[in-house]
Amino acid sequence: MDSALLKVDEEKARHVKRVKLRELNATMDVQVELSRLDSSLKRHTGLIKRMRQSLGTDHRDQIIKDIDSLSLEKYIDEIAGATLEGIARCKTEKDVWSAVEVISALHRRFPAAFTPPLISSLSTALAAPSRAALSALPPEQREKEDSARVSRQRPLLRVCSELALVGIITDGRKRSGGEWIMKVLRELLSNDPTLSSLPLLSIFLKSYSRPYLGLTPPQSKQISAEAEPGTLSSATTNATQAEFPTLLHEGEELVEQEIRDRFKRMCEGYFDSVSKKLTIEHKRLQDQDRRNHEAYIRSGEIFEDRQQAYEKMTKGYEKLLASCQTLSELLYLPMPSLPTVSQKSDSIQIGANAVSGDDEDPLANSGGKWEDEEERRFFEDIQDLKDFVPKSVLGIESDEKEDKEVAEEREKAEKEKADAEAKKLEEELEGLKLDGDPMNGRKDGTAEVEMREEEPDGTITPTPTSPTKASSPPLSPQLAPQGPSQLLTALLARLPDATNRVMIDQAAIDFAFLNSKAARKRLIKFLGAVPKNRTDLLPHYARLVATLNRYMPDIGAELVALLDEEFRYLQRKKNVVKELAEVRLKNMLFLSNLTKFRVVPSHLVLHMFKVCLDDFSGTNVENISMLLEGCGRFLLRSDETRERFGTMLELMRRKQSMQHFDQRQILLLENAYYQCNPPERTPRQLKERTPLELFIRHLIYDVLAKKTIDKVLKLLRKLDWDDPIVQRALHKVFTKPWKIKYGNINLLAMLTYDLQRYHPAFAISVVDQVLEDIRRGLEQNVYSTNQRRVAAIKYLGELYIYRLLGSVLVFDTLWSLVTFGHPEGHPLPRQPCPMDMPNDFFRVRLVCVLLDTVGMCFDRGTQKRKLDNFLVFFQYYVLCKEDLPMDVDFMLSDSIEAIRPKMTMYKTVEEAAVAVDDMFNAALQNAGLSTGEDSGEDSDEEGERPQQQDEEDDDTTGQESSNEDRTPSPDPVIVLSTQEHLGPSEEAEAEFEKELAKIITDSSAESRKVDKKAAWWDSAVLGPNLRKKRADEGDVDAGGDNNPDGNSVMQFTVITKRGSKQQGRHLLVPAESALAVHTRSAQLQDKVEQQHLKRLVLDYEQREEAEEMKALEVRNRTGAIKIRYVG
């Protein structure tokens, strides 16, 4: 509201200025005494130079002062040219108004000498560009020219608009210049098919929509979409009159009412045209996007030229959309409704187009003439030789009338033959319905073949003579040093290596420079003698013929005649099956490719199909199959052959049902038929999702990236997390990492970590589901879910990196990958396992992915030892399988090299088995279950020593027996009862904590009761001088020493204090005294406690590892794992 009122006030201020200047220009009472004016050349030159630089506010005062003080009569033309240059440098509104004031001052002095030339120059500068000149420029240069022109004309249009309002540009006496401005804009917009002048209209409407069109700011921008384009502006104007007072009365308007109405209708009509063009471009962009998507689904990539064309189209569409939105805001008109694609997945149909309506041709539902976009480009995008070769070389300067007559005669002959073939097919179908005897058709077909063999070849395909001027073409400069015969020989020698579009197109250009009657004969002979085993060259040779056939029609005609003769010969030799099988294949493939290039006439290929169909047996079954596979799809979907070929297919299916074929022939015919005419497929049912679920999927699958993760987090937090539907949708998205890009899995884990702070239960459910998916993958082991399993393992590692789970779960997963499904959790060499066969290496891939993700985190402490132990067992697991494929071997070596570059790699299963035995023995020793020193906790438990000693003896016996004769299963000597002593029980832990709390409470209570002054000696500390003296005198330890008399004594230091000075004196006390015995026992007890605490601290990590080993052993349902290899 405030901004609209501010615009009204600004418009009123502009109107007042324009009215004053218009009245001043209309008086024309400028009287200047010529005697007082300066006519010096220097000042006039300075004025002209200043005006060329700019007519803006910087030079305004000085220029107006010079205009009033200089004579200027001899320099009117130079001043007009300088004015035009100075206007081009006016960028802001103040500069434009300053230029208008300067021009007005000159107009008042020289209305007849200055104003008409200036208006003429402005009209020329604002003229539309020549279409012919622009069409001759390349697209890039044309775009640059349009951009430069718009930049030049923008300030000129603004100044001219102001001049028309202040009475300098007029349409007649006592009329404004509104019609002049309207004509200028109409010329610019009507001669601009690329809409490059659209910014000029936007600039004009931003500043002059009120005086020229009578538009005022609307009450609100919510305009009904049902309003018509021609009535919206009047509707908005009427609506604003209720809120804003009328700015001006009709008598105060600077532009007449008639001009304003016409101007408004012109702008609204132009906006309507722009809207239609925007809608068309929007549909084209959507269609191109759909085709790109289908091409990507089919071929796995989008070609570079297609991608560049799509980017260029997108850039143009975005530019047009921005301009249309600007016009919509300035004219207060609604934007056109742009059609949107219902679902992107509708177009994902391999080999088929999007599902069309029920009223369309059913053949269109099964795809077009081409299987994919690459095939279409190969057969349809053929280069035009006249773009690369001079016209004189191609010989296309002959009379066009003769060519038209020849073309008409050819079309007429083809049409007559096509009608005859169609009638004959209809008659055969009726006869087949009546009696159903397949032998009649065979006899008629044989007679027809004989009749066609007797006809000359020229009647089948007319061969027009080549132009005489093309018989001796001039050589190109680079070919001048050599003769044409040698160059043609070299070209033909290169053709077998031309196995792509670029090379074969270049070969066509090279041959065009060598064009002659002899060269064409050599080429035809060469193409007709393609080796039987080089059928891969036939599509490219057919493209070469199609490229040359436009300007050298005898090449295509003679080659087709040659292939037709070969086909007739093969029909006569039907009994020779094996020897001519490759020749038949080459003949059919060549004819099929030439048919798709439209080199072979449609009636000829249909006749060949009919000949084979008449004798529907033996080699003709294979011929029909090859024709259907080669060009059947093309013939069935081409407008000119659809009806006739569909009739032939129906006839073929009927004969096939009435005749007896072996299994191979039936398979050939069925595959060929369904390849050219695939069965109709019902459209895939799309899963219906709520808008909220679609929004969540859009955030995770489309928007989520490194730069947008914070934005996605904020949007997800704003969702209603109490709604179970939202929770279910989020849980689905966050637990299916295989649906996002592999590189974004870490972002999904990061997002889960960020959400954990606000919704911890959600993060826990995500981790549980991921672990469940990994476990389900191990149980099912379905090949189609391998990609999902890799993504789940990667996701698990990323969740660990972001601290959503502990290392225990990571190691549990690693051990599960190498032990799950094996008997008692022990993989055995080359032993088949239903869930993990020896030739299945996917679990190795999973372990490598997890190690690559989290392996670098386990580089110190207990986790480092755990990973080292696992890698030893992992090597044994790998060696238990068959020889690794090369890619898996490289992946394994890269993963281990990244985390343990100096690790020893075992070569045989025996070495790995011994290493695993040693690893588990060392782990059991640390856990206190094997031979060796006992843990600190067990040292004080004397009652358990005999039982442990018995177990150790049994374990030693088990080791000796295993060295002599290994068995495939672990020795049952290791008793699981010792697992209960791996650590204190829960009751012992609770009792210990209770006693410890009681001791701490008692000691703190007693310490408060003791008088500190009375017990100062308990905490007395020797001073530095006393400690030094005692060390110098060889202070003995608290143990018993022998004095010189031979009696055992204990030396004490008695501390006395005089004033603030401490003094110490040695006192020898007999070792048998109560004081010495009590002190000695207290010191020993303190020493034992210190050693005990030290041992507890040092064995903390070992005890933790022992507890985890206990959990692992319980899960694997066995005791300490021992790997015994059966030699």
Side-chain angles (χ1 to χ4, degrees):
M1 181 68 183
D2 295 337
S3 61
L5 291 175
L6 183 61
K7 289 181 180 180
V8 172
D9 295 338
E10 291 177 355
E11 188 60 38
K12 284 184 177 181
R14 295 193 198 100
H15 179 75
V16 171
K17 289 194 302 181
R18 291 164 182 160
V19 170
K20 288 183 180 179
L21 189 56
R22 182 172 185 172
E23 293 175 353
L24 188 61
N25 292 336
T27 56
M28 302 292 290
D29 58 352
V30 179
Q31 297 179 358
V32 181
E33 296 182 7
L34 298 178
S35 59
R36 292 184 179 182
L37 298 178
D38 190 355
S39 60
S40 64
L41 177 62
K42 182 177 181 180
R43 291 193 63 188
H44 281 80
T45 306
L47 172 63
I48 294 173
K49 183 178 180 181
R50 198 174 295 112
M51 292 180 68
R52 290 181 188 277
Q53 291 177 354
S54 177
L55 294 181
T57 55
D58 297 337
H59 299 159
R60 170 188 171 278
D61 297 336
Q62 184 62 38
I63 292 175
I64 293 179
K65 181 179 178 181
D66 290 343
I67 291 173
D68 295 337
S69 60
L70 298 178
S71 62
L72 305 177
E73 292 179 353
K74 299 180 181 180
Y75 305 95
I76 294 299
D77 295 337
E78 290 85 348
I79 289 174
T83 302
L84 194 63
E85 295 184 16
I87 291 174
R89 293 177 171 82
C90 297
K91 305 298 182 185
T92 62
E93 184 180 355
K94 293 182 179 180
D95 291 341
V96 170
W97 184 251
S98 175
V100 172
E101 290 180 333
V102 171
I103 295 172
S104 299
L106 290 169
H107 169 71
R108 290 193 296 271
R109 281 199 59 187
F110 310 102
F114 170 76
T115 305
L118 177 64
I119 295 176
S120 177
S121 300
L122 290 173
S123 178
T124 304
L126 288 173
S130 174
R131 285 192 177 186
L134 288 179
S135 60
L137 297 174
E140 295 80 5
Q141 186 66 23
R142 187 188 315 154
E143 187 175 354
K144 291 181 181 178
E145 289 291 335
D146 286 336
S147 179
R149 176 182 60 83
V150 170
S151 299
R152 289 194 309 269
Q153 291 179 342
R154 185 183 291 116
L156 295 177
L157 181 62
R158 297 181 65 181
V159 172
C160 288
S161 302
E162 293 287 353
L163 293 178
L165 294 175
V166 297
I168 295 179
I169 298 178
T170 59
D171 300 328
R173 187 172 181 82
K174 294 184 180 181
R175 288 181 62 87
S176 67
E179 190 169 358
W180 189 90
I181 297 295
M182 186 171 60
K183 288 180 180 179
V184 169
L185 279 174
R186 186 188 297 120
E187 289 294 325
L188 285 173
L189 299 177
S190 60
N191 293 288
D192 182 31
T194 61
L195 302 181
S196 59
S197 299
L198 193 55
L200 292 176
L201 180 60
S202 301
I203 291 294
F204 174 79
L205 291 176
K206 283 181 181 179
S207 303
Y208 306 105
S209 61
R210 173 64 190 87
Y212 283 97
L213 278 72
L215 298 179
T216 54
Q219 183 175 358
S220 65
K221 290 189 178 182
Q222 294 180 353
I223 302 174
S224 174
E226 301 174 355
E228 295 295 333
T231 61
L232 279 171
S233 295
S234 59
T236 55
T237 304
N238 296 333
T240 55
Q241 290 177 356
E243 184 176 357
F244 298 102
T246 304
L247 296 179
L248 302 170
H249 298 289
E250 184 58 34
E252 298 176 351
E253 293 287 351
L254 298 178
V255 181
E256 294 80 5
Q257 178 69 31
E258 177 193 358
I259 301 298
R260 293 202 306 272
D261 294 341
R262 289 168 55 194
F263 217 141
K264 183 166 59 176
R265 286 195 298 270
M266 184 193 78
C267 292
E268 290 179 351
Y270 183 73
F271 175 75
D272 192 16
S273 302
V274 173
S275 301
K276 291 179 180 178
K277 185 174 179 61
L278 177 65
T279 305
I280 294 172
E281 291 297 323
H282 181 74
K283 291 180 179 178
R284 286 183 61 235
L285 186 64
Q286 284 189 336
D287 292 341
Q288 186 65 32
D289 180 58
R290 178 180 56 80
R291 287 194 295 268
N292 287 354
H293 193 62
E294 291 178 356
Y296 179 77
I297 293 297
R298 293 189 186 103
S299 60
E301 62 176 342
I302 299 177
F303 298 99
E304 185 176 357
D305 53 348
R306 173 184 286 272
Q307 184 69 21
Q308 291 176 355
Y310 179 74
E311 291 175 357
K312 185 177 181 180
M313 187 183 299
T314 304
K315 183 179 178 181
Y317 169 76
E318 291 176 352
K319 185 177 179 181
L320 179 61
L321 178 62
S323 300
C324 192
Q325 288 174 344
T326 304
L327 285 182
S328 174
E329 295 174 359
L330 295 173
L331 294 173
Y332 310 117
L333 297 176
M335 283 288 292
S337 59
L338 300 177
T340 57
V341 180
S342 59
Q343 286 294 336
K344 208 173 199 180
S345 58
D346 285 345
S347 61
I348 307 178
Q349 296 182 3
I350 300 176
N353 292 334
V355 178
S356 57
D358 296 335
D359 55 343
E360 294 185 5
D361 191 353
L363 289 175
N365 291 335
S366 58
K369 291 186 289 188
W370 315 110
E371 293 184 359
D372 53 27
E373 182 62 20
E374 176 63 20
E375 186 180 11
R376 187 199 66 79
R377 292 168 64 229
F378 181 81
F379 286 103
E380 289 189 351
D381 297 348
I382 301 174
Q383 64 180 359
D384 194 348
L385 288 178
K386 69 179 181 181
D387 297 335
F388 306 94
V389 182
K391 294 182 179 180
S392 59
V393 176
L394 294 175
I396 57 177
E397 298 176 354
S398 58
D399 192 5
E400 295 181 357
K401 294 183 179 180
E402 296 180 359
D403 295 339
K404 290 182 179 179
E405 292 177 359
V406 173
E408 290 176 358
E409 291 178 359
R410 185 186 307 173
E411 291 178 359
K412 187 176 181 180
E414 290 180 0
K415 187 176 181 180
E416 292 176 356
K417 292 184 178 181
D419 294 340
E421 292 285 346
K423 290 181 180 179
K424 184 171 179 57
L425 286 173
E426 291 176 0
E427 293 175 359
E428 290 185 1
L429 280 176
E430 292 177 357
L432 190 64
K433 292 177 182 177
L434 294 174
D435 52 11
D437 187 7
M439 298 303 295
N440 298 332
R442 183 178 303 180
K443 294 178 181 179
D444 296 339
T446 307
E448 178 67 20
V449 171
E450 294 175 355
M451 291 175 60
R452 293 297 298 265
E453 287 178 356
E454 293 174 358
E455 294 175 359
D457 296 338
T459 59
I460 299 177
T461 305
T463 307
T465 57
S466 59
T468 55
K469 293 184 179 180
S471 59
S472 58
L475 295 178
S476 58
Q478 63 268 23
L479 302 180
Q482 301 181 16
S485 178
Q486 292 83 354
L487 291 173
L488 181 59
T489 303
L491 175 61
L492 297 179
R494 293 201 315 267
L495 282 182
D497 297 328
T499 55
N500 57 46
R501 291 172 53 192
V502 177
M503 297 176 67
I504 206 67
D505 290 347
Q506 184 60 41
I509 296 173
D510 294 342
F511 182 82
F513 283 104
L514 302 172
N515 183 22
S516 66
K517 189 173 183 180
R520 292 196 295 273
K521 287 185 177 181
R522 285 187 61 184
L523 179 63
I524 294 169
K525 184 178 179 182
F526 176 83
L527 294 176
V530 180
K532 294 182 294 185
N533 58 347
R534 291 302 306 271
T535 55
D536 59 305
L537 297 174
L538 298 179
H540 301 90
Y541 286 178
R543 183 179 176 87
L544 174 65
V545 173
T547 306
L548 298 174
N549 192 57
R550 182 180 300 180
Y551 302 102
M552 309 168 198
D554 55 336
I555 293 181
E558 293 185 14
L559 181 61
V560 170
L562 186 64
L563 294 174
D564 186 25
E565 184 63 30
E566 186 179 37
F567 173 75
R568 294 165 183 267
Y569 169 76
L570 293 173
Q571 284 296 310
R572 292 194 297 268
K573 299 292 184 180
K574 287 182 293 187
N575 297 329
V576 184
V577 180
K578 294 183 178 180
E579 292 79 0
L580 297 178
E582 294 181 349
V583 179
R584 290 189 179 90
L585 175 62
K586 185 198 73 171
N587 183 262
M588 290 292 105
L589 287 180
F590 212 166
L591 285 169
S592 299
N593 285 283
L594 289 172
T595 300
K596 289 190 283 188
F597 280 111
R598 302 183 186 276
V599 176
V600 177
S602 58
H603 68 85
L604 179 61
V605 69
L606 290 177
H607 170 72
M608 292 180 178
F609 188 84
K610 181 179 176 298
V611 168
C612 295
L613 195 59
D614 289 340
D615 186 11
F616 197 30
S617 63
T619 56
N620 282 337
V621 174
E622 298 178 0
N623 292 339
I624 286 179
S625 301
M626 288 185 286
L627 270 178
L628 289 178
E629 292 177 0
C631 60
R633 185 188 184 99
F634 174 82
L635 294 173
L636 191 59
R637 283 160 179 79
S638 297
D639 295 335
E640 62 272 14
T641 58
R642 177 182 302 176
E643 183 178 355
R644 288 176 289 167
F645 192 71
T647 306
M648 289 186 176
L649 278 182
E650 182 182 356
L651 180 61
M652 184 201 77
R653 297 291 287 179
R654 291 182 180 181
K655 287 193 172 185
Q656 179 183 349
S657 62
M658 290 188 297
Q659 292 182 224
H660 177 71
F661 297 102
D662 58 21
Q663 193 64 30
R664 184 185 67 85
Q665 291 175 332
I666 293 176
L667 189 61
L668 281 175
L669 291 173
E670 292 293 328
N671 290 341
Y673 175 77
Y674 286 114
Q675 185 169 346
C676 75
N677 187 24
E680 296 183 6
R681 294 180 295 180
T682 58
R684 187 171 53 186
Q685 295 295 331
L686 297 176
K687 185 178 180 180
E688 295 184 0
R689 294 185 173 90
T690 62
L692 189 59
E693 186 176 359
L694 292 175
F695 174 69
I696 294 173
R697 292 168 63 87
H698 170 68
L699 288 180
I700 302 300
Y701 298 155
D702 301 332
V703 180
L704 183 60
K706 289 183 180 179
K707 296 181 180 179
T708 60
I709 186 169
D710 295 332
K711 175 183 175 182
V712 173
L713 175 63
K714 291 180 181 178
L715 292 174
L716 290 179
R717 287 185 57 197
K718 290 181 180 179
L719 298 175
D720 184 10
W721 285 78
D722 296 331
D723 188 357
I725 299 178
V726 175
Q727 290 184 0
R728 192 181 310 113
L730 288 169
H731 187 268
K732 286 182 180 179
V733 172
F734 275 82
T735 54
K736 295 180 180 179
W738 54 85
K739 289 193 174 183
I740 65 174
K741 296 180 180 178
Y742 189 75
N744 286 349
I745 292 180
N746 62 328
L747 301 179
L748 190 63
M750 187 188 304
L751 206 57
T752 310
Y753 168 73
D754 292 333
L755 291 173
Q756 182 196 21
R757 294 181 290 179
Y758 312 102
H759 308 283
F762 173 75
I764 294 174
S765 65
V766 169
V767 174
D768 289 345
Q769 186 62 44
V770 172
L771 292 173
E772 179 66 23
D773 292 340
I774 295 173
R775 180 79 175 194
R776 187 186 302 113
L778 293 175
E779 294 173 353
Q780 297 176 352
N781 193 25
V782 180
Y783 176 79
S784 59
T785 62
N786 283 356
Q787 189 174 4
R788 297 185 177 188
R789 295 173 64 185
V790 171
I793 285 290
K794 173 74 173 178
Y795 192 31
L796 180 71
E798 296 293 345
L799 291 174
Y800 170 75
I801 291 178
Y802 288 102
R803 297 178 294 176
L804 289 167
L805 51 90
S807 61
V808 177
L809 290 177
V810 175
F811 281 106
D812 285 348
T813 304
L814 287 172
W815 282 97
S816 298
L817 290 174
V818 297
T819 60
F820 183 81
H822 292 275
E824 297 181 351
H826 305 156
L828 301 175
R830 306 295 193 277
Q831 294 296 323
C833 174
M835 297 183 183
D836 188 20
M837 298 299 289
N839 59 351
D840 184 6
F841 308 97
F842 188 69
R843 289 195 185 186
V844 180
R845 291 179 181 271
L846 295 180
V847 173
C848 291
V849 170
L850 190 54
L851 291 178
D852 292 339
T853 307
V854 302
M856 75 291 295
C857 301
F858 305 142
D859 57 349
R860 60 176 61 89
T862 305
Q863 294 177 349
K864 181 177 184 299
R865 289 197 298 271
K866 291 181 188 177
L867 185 60
D868 292 340
N869 293 340
F870 171 77
L871 290 177
V872 172
F873 191 86
F874 181 50
Q875 290 189 60
Y876 168 77
Y877 170 79
V878 171
L879 292 172
C880 286
K881 291 186 170 293
E882 297 179 359
D883 295 337
L884 296 180
M886 186 178 296
D887 56 336
V888 180
D889 193 10
F890 286 161
M891 178 184 291
L892 176 63
S893 59
D894 291 342
S895 301
I896 295 181
E897 179 71 20
I899 57 177
R900 295 293 185 270
K902 298 181 180 180
M903 186 174 184
T904 303
M905 300 297 294
Y906 304 109
K907 302 298 183 182
T908 61
V909 182
E910 293 85 349
E911 295 179 2
V914 173
V916 170
D917 282 341
D918 295 340
M919 180 265 292
F920 278 110
N921 285 334
L924 293 174
Q925 288 177 4
N926 293 334
L929 295 177
S930 183
T931 56
E933 60 183 33
D934 297 314
S935 61
E937 293 87 353
D938 295 336
S939 61
D940 295 331
E941 299 174 2
E942 297 294 332
E944 297 180 2
R945 292 296 296 274
Q947 181 182 357
Q948 292 183 4
Q949 186 66 34
D950 295 338
E951 294 170 2
E952 291 164 4
D953 294 341
D954 295 339
D955 186 59
T956 304
T957 305
Q959 289 183 12
E960 293 174 357
S961 63
S962 65
N963 291 331
E964 294 174 359
D965 185 14
R966 291 184 180 271
T967 58
S969 60
D971 195 334
V973 172
I974 297 178
V975 184
L976 295 178
S977 61
T978 57
Q979 292 179 359
E980 63 187 13
H981 305 298
L982 284 174
S985 62
E986 294 182 0
E987 294 79 2
E989 287 283 353
E991 185 178 358
F992 172 76
E993 292 178 359
K994 182 178 180 180
E995 293 295 332
L996 179 62
K998 182 178 179 180
I999 291 173
I1000 293 175
T1001 303
D1002 294 345
S1003 62
S1004 61
E1006 292 177 0
S1007 64
R1008 286 194 294 269
K1009 296 178 182 178
V1010 178
D1011 188 5
K1012 293 184 178 181
K1013 292 184 178 180
W1016 64 272
W1017 59 81
D1018 290 344
S1019 59
V1021 181
L1022 293 178
N1025 54 347
L1026 296 179
R1027 288 199 301 270
K1028 183 177 180 182
K1029 181 178 179 182
R1030 185 173 181 180
D1032 294 340
E1033 292 175 357
D1035 187 20
V1036 293
D1037 197 4
D1041 295 328
N1042 294 328
N1043 61 356
D1045 298 336
N1047 298 326
S1048 178
V1049 295
M1050 180 177 289
Q1051 181 175 340
F1052 288 84
T1053 301
V1054 181
I1055 302 174
T1056 59
K1057 187 174 183 181
R1058 290 184 179 181
S1060 60
K1061 185 177 181 182
Q1062 288 185 355
Q1063 294 182 354
R1065 186 177 61 179
H1066 297 297
L1067 179 64
L1068 298 177
V1069 177
E1072 293 81 4
S1073 63
L1075 177 61
V1077 172
H1078 179 71
T1079 303
R1080 176 74 174 179
S1081 61
Q1083 288 181 348
L1084 291 175
Q1085 186 176 0
D1086 290 343
K1087 187 174 181 180
V1088 169
E1089 289 180 358
Q1090 289 179 0
Q1091 293 293 333
H1092 183 63
L1093 290 175
K1094 183 177 180 182
R1095 183 62 179 272
L1096 287 177
V1097 172
L1098 294 177
D1099 291 349
Y1100 175 75
E1101 292 184 354
Q1102 296 180 356
R1103 289 188 290 106
E1104 183 184 10
E1105 184 177 359
E1107 293 175 3
E1108 294 178 358
M1109 289 294 296
K1110 172 185 175 182
L1112 178 63
E1113 292 164 358
V1114 170
R1115 188 178 65 249
N1116 291 332
R1117 301 176 182 179
T1118 182
I1121 299 176
K1122 285 183 176 295
I1123 305 301
R1124 291 172 170 80
Y1125 176 70
V1126 180

